[in-house]
Amino acid sequence: KDFSEAIRLKPDSSPAHYARGSAYLSKKSYDLAEKDFSEAIKLTPDDGIAFFSRALAREELGDLDGAIADYGEVIRIEPANGDAYNNRGTVRHKKKDYAGAIADFTDSIRLSDNKDPLPYVNRGRSHIEPKRDAEALKDFDQALALKPGDSYALFYRAMANDDLGKVDAAIADLTEVIRLEPDSGEAY
């Protein structure tokens, strides 16, 4: 209500539109969030945070092309934003553009100085789909070196090991996932 009142009093306030959009995003009112982020962008066209947030809303709404475009705008405005590359890669993966996803995850890894395990896991997942499991294993191993016991990396490494016929290694990883997250239904 306070954000709406602020917008009523000052309709050209980009921060007020952004703040209300963020509130809508947290409430999973993605269509309303997307509208407010769009208004914030109209008022402040080089607001990378508004583009990033609108991309999140658009992805949730199923507008994957719109989300990719918005992450591209974030990268244009903030070329060193590794999260934008990672998120755009995730959306590209959803669209089965594995080459584009791998390129984005590689840029995210570079921008994190090879210290963030998430883009390694995501790149590994994008290697699995086109059956490049050996490359995937390298990424999952690197993610686990950065964050030992990461159940997400262990789970996908198990999938790659299974694809490669390394059943014992896959079972070991899945057993560890179950130990770490006993409620994880996927590991069973």
Side-chain angles (χ1 to χ4, degrees):
K1 292 181 179 182
D2 291 338
F3 298 127
S4 294
E5 180 63 13
I7 291 168
R8 188 186 70 72
L9 294 172
K10 192 172 181 190
D12 62 343
S13 171
S14 179
H17 283 283
Y18 176 79
R20 187 171 71 179
S22 295
Y24 283 138
L25 190 65
S26 70
K27 291 173 67 173
K28 299 183 180 182
S29 296
Y30 302 118
D31 55 336
L32 296 172
E34 193 269 343
K35 288 176 186 171
D36 268 334
F37 294 137
S38 292
E39 188 62 26
I41 290 165
K42 184 173 123 185
L43 295 167
T44 311
D46 283 336
D47 185 346
I49 295 169
F51 275 109
F52 192 97
S53 297
R54 186 173 74 177
L56 294 172
R58 285 181 163 177
E59 183 178 356
E60 291 296 334
L61 289 168
D63 179 6
L64 301 184
D65 290 330
I68 288 170
D70 280 350
Y71 287 127
E73 285 299 306
V74 175
I75 292 164
R76 178 187 63 78
I77 296 164
E78 304 170 22
N81 189 323
D83 291 335
Y85 281 102
N86 184 70
N87 286 19
R88 186 174 70 179
T90 300
V91 178
R92 285 180 165 169
H93 179 93
K94 286 180 181 179
K95 289 185 55 98
K96 300 185 184 322
D97 173 11
Y98 302 119
I102 289 167
D104 279 344
F105 296 136
T106 300
D107 282 333
S108 182
I109 290 166
R110 176 182 51 79
L111 290 167
S112 77
D113 292 326
N114 303 319
K115 294 179 182 169
D116 185 354
L118 183 59
Y120 280 106
V121 175
N122 288 336
R123 187 173 70 179
R125 288 179 55 233
S126 290
H127 281 303
I128 286 176
E129 298 298 331
K131 299 296 182 196
R132 290 195 301 262
D133 296 290
E135 289 92 342
L137 280 178
K138 290 176 191 174
D139 281 338
F140 299 136
D141 287 342
Q142 183 60 38
L144 289 162
L146 292 169
K147 188 177 176 186
D150 183 305
S151 60
Y152 189 57
L154 286 164
F155 178 81
Y156 283 105
R157 185 172 72 178
M159 299 301 100
N161 274 321
D162 187 54
D163 286 348
L164 290 169
K166 298 178 179 181
V167 177
D168 290 340
I171 291 170
D173 282 343
L174 291 174
T175 301
E176 182 64 5
V177 171
I178 292 167
R179 187 187 71 76
L180 294 168
E181 295 184 31
D183 295 331
S184 173
E186 289 184 352
Y188 291 96

